[in-house]
Amino acid sequence: VSATAWLRASLVVFVAAMLQVVIVSSLVVAGGAPDLLLVVVVVLGLARGSIPGAILGFAGGLVVDLVTLGTLGVTSLVLTLAGFWAGRYAETTGRDRRFAAVIAVGTITVLAAAFGYVLHYLLDEEVVARHALVTALAPAFVLNLVLALPVNALVRRLVGEGERDELAPEVEVLAS
Amino acid sequence: MSRQRSARSAALGLTVRRLPTTSQARGAGPLRRRLVVGALVLASLVLISLSFRADGSGPLGGVQSAGATVLRPFAVGFERVAQPFRDVYAWADSLLSAQSEADALRDEVRELRQRAIQSEFALQENVYLRELLDYIDGPRFPADFDPVAAEVIGRPTGAFTQAITIAVGAKNGVRANDPVVTADGLVGVVTRVTSGTARVQLLTDEEAAASAIDLRTGATGIVRHARGTRETLVLDRVRKQDVVRRGNEIVTAGWRAGALSSLYPKGIPIGRVTSVGQTDTDLFQQVQIDPYVDFGALDAVIVLVPQERE
C-alpha cells in the first residue's frame, strides 16, 4: 500500500471519526444512531485488505476515545477487529460479491454491538442489554445498511482499491 | 504435499488444480497479518487496562489529556461546520413533531416554572425555619455557585454510555463532580476533566443518579434512568406511604448530612411525574418522570462551579 493511499485512508478515517463524534451520533432515529466510523472502517477493510483495515480501525477508535475522553482502547479494539474481519472477508469469500459491503456492514454492526456490550460489561459498566442489543441496535443496523453502499462508493473513489496480495488460493477446473 | 497438486473429482469426473499464489500471499502474508492484528489487539487491551485502572490520572491520563487538547480545535471546527446541518435536522425534526409552535410557550413556561419553584421553596423554608431553629444543617442554595457556560463538542457515541464532551475544563475552574444544568433543568455531572475539555455524565446514563424531592408533597427518592429507554426517568426508592401525584414537579433535593452533601444543589428542576404505580410485592412506588431537558438536543450547557470548594 503506497504512502499516498495510507495518507488518504487516514484522512478519511479521521474525518469520519470527528463527524461521528460531533454530528452523526446525535442523529438519533427511532432510538438509534448510525455508526459512520464503523461503516467507513468496514469499507476500507473491504477495499484495502485486512491489515490496513485493522490498523485504520485501531486509529479511528483511538481518535474517538481521545475526543470523548472515554476508556482508551475500547473503541480501538472493536474497530480493529471490525476492519480486520472485513478485510479477511474481502480476501476470501466476499471477493467479487456485488453486495459485499452491505453484507459486511450488516454483519459487523451486529457483531460489534454484541462485542461492545460484552466489553463494557467486563469493564463493570452498567449497560442495559435490551437497549444496547435491541432498542438502539435495530435502527442503527438499518441506518448503517443505508449508509453502506454510498459510503462504499465514496470511500473507494477517494482511497482506491488495494492490491489483494493475500487472497485465498483459487482452484481451476480442468477438462476431464 | 505440493501446492500444485491436482485431484479428480469423484462426483463430477473433473480434474481441479489449485492455482499457484504469490510467495507473499502464501509465505510472509498470513504471518504478517497475524502479527499486525495481534499487536493491535494487544495494544488495545493494554490501553484499556491502563486507562481503566488510571481512571484519568497518571501518565496515560496525561497522554489522553494531551491528545484531547490536540484534537479539541478539530472538534470545535467540525462542530462549527456541522452546526448548520444539525440545525436543519433539528428544524425538520421539530417540524414533524409540531414543536415549532411550542417554542415561544416553552420559554414562558420555563420562566414561570422557575419562579414557581423558587416561591414554593421560599414558602416551605419559611415554615420549616419557624419549626426548626437548627436549620443551619439544611441544604444550600445554588446561589453558592458560579455559572460557566460551555459549548457541547461531543455527543454520546453509542448505546453504552450517555455522556457529552464540553469545551471547558480545568483552566475554566471546572472540576470533577461539578453539576451541569441548562435553563430547562438538570443535565448531569462532570466526571472527567482535562485542561480544556470535560466529560459530562448525563442523567440518562445507567450509572447516574440524583437525590430528588416532590416539590408539592415532599416525597423523596432517587432519580435514575428508566431501563430500556432514554426518554424517561424514574423516581426510585419512594416509600409507599409517601404521596406522589401525576403532574407533580420533581427537583433535586440537595441534602446535607454533616460533612457530606449531595453533588447537586437544591431546587434544580428535573421533570414532571407522568405515572405513579405500586404493587403488593414491591417495597417502593414506581414513579415515572418526563425530564424537562431534551438530552438529545444539547448544544450548550452551564457548569455550576462552587464559589468555595471544600
Side-chain angles (χ1 to χ4, degrees):
Chain A
V1 183
S2 69
T4 313
W6 271 114
L7 185 64
R8 283 185 181 180
S10 302
L11 277 175
V12 166
V13 167
F14 180 73
V15 170
M18 299 307 290
L19 286 175
Q20 179 64 37
V21 172
V22 170
I23 183 167
V24 179
S25 58
S26 63
L27 302 180
V28 178
V29 178
D35 194 337
L36 177 67
L37 182 58
L38 179 74
V39 176
V40 166
V41 166
V42 168
V43 166
L44 282 169
L46 291 172
R48 308 299 310 190
S50 55
I51 293 178
I55 293 172
L56 293 166
F58 179 84
L62 202 58
V63 170
V64 168
D65 287 338
L66 281 173
V67 173
T68 60
L69 302 179
T71 305
L72 279 179
V74 173
T75 315
S76 293
L77 182 56
V78 174
L79 293 182
T80 296
L81 296 176
F84 179 75
W85 191 88
R88 288 304 294 153
Y89 174 62
E91 289 159 2
T92 53
T93 57
R95 73 176 89 156
D96 301 329
R97 282 202 180 177
R98 194 175 170 188
F99 294 105
V102 177
I103 295 167
V105 165
T107 308
I108 293 176
T109 297
V110 175
L111 291 176
F115 183 57
Y117 173 74
V118 172
L119 209 54
H120 284 270
Y121 179 79
L122 291 175
L123 291 173
D124 199 26
E125 294 176 9
E126 194 180 335
V127 181
V128 179
R130 203 185 96 189
H131 176 74
L133 301 177
V134 180
T135 315
L137 177 59
F141 177 80
V142 174
L143 292 168
N144 284 0
L145 287 185
V146 170
L147 282 176
L149 287 178
V151 169
N152 183 45
L154 182 65
V155 168
R156 283 176 190 268
R157 188 167 181 175
L158 290 172
V159 179
E161 193 94 18
E163 286 186 18
R164 296 175 189 172
D165 58 357
E166 295 180 9
L167 294 174
E170 294 180 81
V171 293
E172 182 183 52
V173 178
L174 303 172
S176 57
Chain B
M1 183 179 282
S2 167
R3 291 288 182 193
Q4 301 291 332
R5 66 184 182 275
S6 296
R8 178 170 289 274
S9 166
L12 299 175
L14 298 173
T15 301
V16 296
R17 185 181 68 187
R18 194 180 290 276
L19 291 176
T21 54
T22 63
S23 58
Q24 189 181 13
R26 303 303 306 168
L31 179 63
R32 188 182 60 172
R33 189 171 61 229
R34 284 168 196 153
L35 281 175
V36 168
V37 77
L40 291 174
V41 168
L42 185 65
S44 298
L45 292 174
V46 169
L47 281 174
I48 291 170
S49 302
L50 294 176
S51 180
F52 185 70
R53 291 178 66 181
D55 196 23
S57 60
L60 198 67
V63 171
Q64 188 169 20
S65 177
T69 305
V70 169
L71 291 172
R72 183 175 177 273
F74 292 102
V76 172
F78 272 85
E79 171 68 26
R80 301 262 157 83
V81 173
Q83 189 61 44
F85 298 101
R86 187 181 294 113
D87 289 344
V88 168
Y89 177 80
W91 177 78
D93 191 45
S94 64
L95 201 64
L96 286 172
S97 57
Q99 282 190 335
S100 55
E101 288 182 23
D103 283 346
L105 289 171
R106 190 175 290 125
D107 288 341
E108 193 177 338
V109 168
R110 188 185 298 154
E111 190 179 334
L112 290 172
R113 185 192 304 143
Q114 199 67 42
R115 279 189 198 170
I117 289 170
Q118 287 169 355
S119 301
E120 195 76 27
F121 260 111
L123 187 67
Q124 284 183 3
E125 279 193 353
N126 223 337
V127 175
Y128 190 60
L129 281 169
R130 285 178 186 174
E131 293 176 349
L132 304 169
L133 291 173
D134 56 347
Y135 179 69
I136 194 164
D137 287 332
R140 295 189 305 174
F141 253 78
D144 296 335
F145 291 83
D146 286 327
V148 176
E151 188 180 8
V152 177
I153 58 172
R155 279 148 181 92
T157 54
F160 304 111
T161 308
Q162 285 290 297
I164 56 173
T165 313
I166 55 175
V168 295
K171 67 183 178 187
N172 306 100
V174 175
R175 298 286 183 276
N177 295 328
D178 283 350
V180 179
V181 299
T182 66
D184 289 325
L186 185 63
V187 172
V189 66
V190 174
T191 54
R192 227 178 233 198
V193 182
T194 69
S195 64
T197 59
R199 179 184 169 95
V200 178
Q201 182 188 54
L202 300 179
L203 202 55
T204 49
D205 189 89
E206 273 82 1
E207 296 184 349
S211 55
I213 186 169
D214 185 320
L215 195 59
R216 292 211 175 275
T217 65
T220 58
I222 297 171
V223 170
R224 297 179 188 277
H225 74 101
R227 286 190 173 271
T229 172
R230 297 289 184 210
E231 286 77 29
T232 56
L233 300 169
V234 293
L235 184 63
D236 201 4
R237 304 275 164 181
V238 180
R239 296 179 304 173
K240 282 189 172 178
Q241 60 264 38
D242 290 343
V243 178
V244 179
R245 293 190 190 88
R246 190 177 169 188
N248 283 7
E249 280 190 306
I250 304 299
V251 301
T252 52
W255 53 267
R256 168 174 281 273
L260 294 173
S261 64
S262 170
L263 292 176
Y264 305 102
K266 183 179 181 180
I268 299 176
I270 295 176
R272 189 177 293 279
V273 175
T274 54
S275 72
V276 182
Q278 57 180 325
T279 62
D280 292 338
T281 52
D282 284 342
L283 292 173
F284 303 103
Q285 297 186 58
Q286 295 155 351
V287 182
Q288 204 164 43
I289 304 169
D290 184 20
Y292 292 135
V293 173
D294 184 357
F295 292 97
L298 292 170
D299 290 327
V301 296
I302 297 166
V303 183
L304 297 181
V305 176
Q307 290 172 350
E308 292 179 13
R309 292 195 183 273
E310 294 175 3

